[in-house]
Amino acid sequence: SLLPIVVTGFLEVLFVICFLYVVRHWEIEKMKSQFVSIASHQLKTPITALNWMVEVLADDKTVKARVGLRAKVKDLKEIAQNMRELVGSLLNVSRVEAGRIAVCTQMSDVGALAAAKVKEVAQLAKKKEQTIALHSQPNLPAISVDAALVGEIYKNLLTNAIKYTPKDGKIEVRIIRKNSEILSSVTDTGYGIPKDEQGRVFQKFYRGSNIIQLEHDGTGLGLYLVKEIVKISGGRIWFTSAEGKGTTFHFTLPVAGSKPKEGEMSIT
């Protein structure tokens, strides 16, 4: 007769323990996000100043006249830019996780947004002698989206494709309407993602084990951020990949448009 009481008591204690564990885990994650946000904000000002000082050095006549010094300043400029991009990525991630990103919708031509980002990254591809092709279905309908957020999706996927594709590689962007969605695909002929790591691709700070030694630059935050932006835009994202053969990222946006959302800021 005591068994039901004992079992009930045990289940109640187990529930309380699980509840406290979840709350504690949530508190730790919240503290981590707050720390990243505060640290990133504090770093933003000195890094901006550092970038400005490097620009001044690069324009100095003495630096320009000395080849060795000019090369060192160029290296310093790249390091400062990488630091700036890292801080920017950390700030964007913390803002997304805190729900502070606004979704300011307007009727937009998705093909034009993609074309603008292809043009923006064209010089990066040219340095690696890569080709980028954009194929957009004719007469795609304009849809209501946040142009800055959608542009960030294309930019991240394109820069990733360029970075993780060897010299002479090919990158292709396709945009079509499929039923009630606009489907975009970014395909590369790059290193691909190891099959046993594909479940971690959208995790923060993930970088493929096969490319860490080949490409030292990278934060592992870009695809996590892309996933979150697609989500708040009302879309879906997935990929297919084969190691050594390349990767294709697909994402959708609803033809009905994204839902506006109040927030403090947009993506930086």
Side-chain angles (χ1 to χ4, degrees):
S1 60
L2 291 176
L3 184 61
I5 299 174
V6 173
V7 172
T8 301
F10 174 77
L11 290 175
E12 288 177 349
V13 171
L14 184 62
F15 173 79
V16 171
I17 291 172
C18 291
F19 176 77
L20 292 175
Y21 174 80
V22 170
V23 170
R24 181 57 178 163
H25 179 74
W26 179 81
E27 288 177 343
I28 291 172
E29 288 299 314
K30 185 178 179 182
M31 289 170 63
K32 284 163 61 179
S33 296
Q34 288 175 340
F35 171 77
V36 169
S37 179
I38 292 169
S40 300
H41 274 288
Q42 294 298 317
L43 286 169
K44 187 174 181 180
T45 299
I47 288 176
T48 299
L50 176 62
N51 273 270
W52 178 78
M53 292 171 67
V54 171
E55 290 290 344
V56 172
L57 272 175
D59 289 334
D60 186 88
K61 292 181 180 179
T62 304
V63 172
K64 288 181 177 180
R66 298 176 60 182
V67 176
L69 190 56
R70 191 165 68 238
K72 286 183 173 61
V73 171
K74 183 180 178 182
D75 291 342
L76 183 60
K77 187 176 181 179
E78 289 181 2
I79 293 169
Q81 181 61 30
N82 288 339
M83 292 172 64
R84 184 178 180 179
E85 290 176 359
L86 173 59
V87 169
S89 295
L90 289 169
L91 281 172
N92 284 332
V93 167
S94 66
R95 289 164 181 168
V96 166
E97 291 183 335
R100 298 167 63 195
I101 296 294
V103 180
C104 304
T105 60
Q106 61 186 52
M107 298 304 292
S108 303
D109 180 342
V110 175
L113 295 178
K117 294 304 172 182
V118 167
K119 184 177 180 181
E120 188 176 320
V121 302
Q123 195 59 36
L124 293 175
K126 187 177 180 180
K127 287 182 180 179
K128 295 184 73 173
E129 299 179 23
Q130 298 168 342
T131 59
I132 303 181
L134 171 61
H135 305 286
S136 184
Q137 180 180 319
N139 302 317
L140 283 173
I143 62 174
S144 180
V145 293
D146 187 313
L149 293 179
V150 174
E152 189 70 16
I153 296 171
Y154 285 117
K155 182 179 178 180
N156 268 286
L157 293 180
L158 284 165
T159 52
N160 258 20
I162 293 168
K163 183 181 295 183
Y164 302 126
T165 297
K167 182 179 176 181
D168 297 323
K170 296 180 180 179
I171 297 158
E172 185 176 67
V173 182
R174 289 189 175 274
I175 307 173
I176 63 170
R177 176 173 181 168
K178 190 171 183 180
N179 301 322
S180 60
E181 297 175 312
I182 302 295
L183 171 63
S184 297
S185 303
V186 179
T187 301
D188 64 56
T189 56
Y191 305 123
I193 302 162
K195 189 173 182 179
D196 60 345
E197 298 178 20
Q198 293 185 4
R200 299 166 51 202
V201 165
F202 294 112
Q203 293 179 2
K204 280 185 290 187
F205 305 112
Y206 166 77
R207 298 191 73 216
S209 60
N210 60 326
I211 54 89
I212 290 176
Q213 300 300 321
L214 298 169
E215 296 289 343
H216 301 290
D217 294 335
T219 63
L221 293 172
L223 289 176
Y224 172 80
L225 188 60
V226 163
K227 180 198 70 174
E228 294 300 314
I229 294 174
V230 170
K231 182 179 177 181
I232 63 176
S233 298
R236 303 175 295 122
I237 185 167
W238 68 98
F239 70 93
T240 56
S241 184
E243 191 170 3
K245 295 182 179 179
T247 303
T248 298
F249 280 93
H250 310 272
F251 75 92
T252 65
L253 295 168
V255 171
S258 303
K259 293 181 180 179
K261 174 182 171 295
E262 293 186 358
E264 300 172 28
M265 59 197 72
S266 185
I267 291 291
T268 57

